[in-house]
């Protein structure tokens, strides 16, 4: 039996370049990426879920938003920019555990909404879709950060994983350190908090239609 040909470095580079180009385009529209998910959750018929399913979905939404709030308390309003403007390197709080806590929070949040909408089969599709989109964005962001932040960011890449949190040799102070007050954090995150309330209101109206 013959072995399949080993991918050549040039082919691997072309694949990476394609993903990075996609990520650069998605970056400017990343706040709009969940809109098709919103449409699907409202448009696909479903009845009110059992309390256990609903509770799990709500808990997952809360966990995702808690992770976002923790991250925003470290990074501030720069998390909302649609340009390629960069703030300083942040390696405290959740950023000491994983490089992309905001995107992980978003994935948990929208998976939770899918479950709360009693569309359990949609939840894994949501996770896969957002995982692909955010991974492409992250590949683009990392290239930009390497260029602009230099060796400090490269050292951060070497010690903190991209997606799967790892405790490593963390100091407790790295997790506790904060840069912004809770007042500033909630103000920066107000759009997402309002969207969560509106999302549950829309689901409640939808369930009333199918009583």
């Amino acid at each position: 039996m013959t072995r399949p040909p080993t991918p050549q470095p040039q082919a691997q580079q072309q694949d990476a370049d394609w993903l990075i180009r996609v990520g650069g385009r998605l970056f400017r529209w990343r706040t709009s990426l969940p809109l098709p998910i919103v449409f699907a959750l409202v448009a696909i018929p479903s009845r009110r879920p059992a309390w256990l399913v609903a509770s799990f979905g709500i808990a997952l939404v809360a966990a995702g938003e808690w992770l976002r709030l923790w991250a925003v308390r470290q990074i501030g309003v720069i998390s909302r920019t649609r340009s390629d403007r960069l703030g300083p390197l942040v390696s405290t709080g959740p950023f000491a555990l994983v490089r992309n806590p905001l995107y992980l929070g978003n994935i948990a949040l929208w998976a939770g909404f899918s479950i709360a909408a009693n569309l359990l089969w949609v939840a894994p599709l949501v996770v896969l879709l957002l995982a692909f989109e955010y991974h492409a964005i992250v590949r683009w962001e990392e290239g930009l950060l390497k260029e602009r932040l230099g060796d400090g960011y490269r050292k951060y890449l070497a010690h903190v994983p991209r997606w799967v949190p790892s405790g490593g040799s963390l100091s407790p102070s790295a997790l506790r350190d904060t840069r912004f007050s809770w007042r500033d954090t909630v103000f920066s995150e107000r759009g997402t908090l309002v969207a969560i309330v509106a999302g549950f209101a829309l689901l409640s109206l939808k369930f009333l239609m199918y009583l």
Side-chain angles (χ1 to χ4, degrees):
M1 179 166 41
T2 59
R3 281 184 162 184
T6 303
Q8 297 299 313
Q10 185 176 2
Q12 292 176 339
Q13 183 62 43
Q14 288 175 348
D15 291 343
D17 289 345
W18 172 82
L19 189 63
I20 290 168
R21 286 196 300 272
V22 170
R25 293 187 179 94
L26 290 173
F27 175 83
R28 294 181 181 276
W29 299 98
R30 69 193 188 283
T31 55
S32 303
L33 294 180
L35 289 179
I37 300 172
V38 174
F39 178 79
L41 296 184
V42 173
I44 298 173
S46 63
R47 296 185 181 276
R48 189 182 300 275
W51 71 269
L52 190 60
V53 173
S55 298
F56 181 70
I58 292 169
L60 197 52
V61 170
E65 181 53 24
W66 174 83
L67 183 56
R68 280 189 56 86
L69 285 166
W70 189 20
V72 170
R73 197 175 185 200
Q74 307 297 318
I75 202 171
V77 296
I78 196 70
S79 65
R80 294 290 179 184
T81 183
R82 290 182 178 82
S83 71
D84 60 6
R85 179 170 59 94
L86 298 176
L89 174 62
V90 177
S91 58
T92 55
F95 294 95
L97 296 171
V98 65
R99 301 203 298 263
N100 301 287
L102 283 165
Y103 294 150
L104 287 175
N106 287 346
I107 292 171
L109 194 155
W110 286 109
F113 262 117
S114 302
I115 294 169
N118 206 20
L119 294 169
L120 305 187
W121 62 272
V122 172
L125 300 179
V126 166
V127 171
L128 289 173
L129 174 64
L130 291 179
F132 169 76
E133 292 175 336
Y134 288 142
H135 184 68
I137 290 172
V138 163
R139 292 297 301 275
W140 177 82
E141 287 178 327
E142 287 176 353
L144 193 68
L145 290 164
K146 285 178 188 176
E147 178 184 338
R148 298 191 182 179
L149 299 181
D151 291 340
Y153 184 70
R154 290 185 176 87
K155 183 178 179 181
Y156 176 69
L157 289 182
H159 288 88
V160 179
R162 182 184 284 150
W163 292 116
V164 181
S166 172
S169 57
L170 285 174
S171 64
S173 61
L175 294 176
R176 288 197 304 265
D177 188 26
T178 57
R179 295 171 181 264
F180 297 90
S181 67
W182 279 116
R183 179 179 178 181
D184 291 339
T185 299
V186 171
F187 182 78
S188 178
E189 189 66 356
R190 65 193 183 282
T192 303
L193 294 170
V194 169
I196 289 172
V197 173
F200 281 120
L202 282 174
L203 288 183
S204 297
L205 289 174
K206 174 187 171 180
F207 295 146
L208 287 174
M209 292 174 58
Y210 290 100
L211 285 176

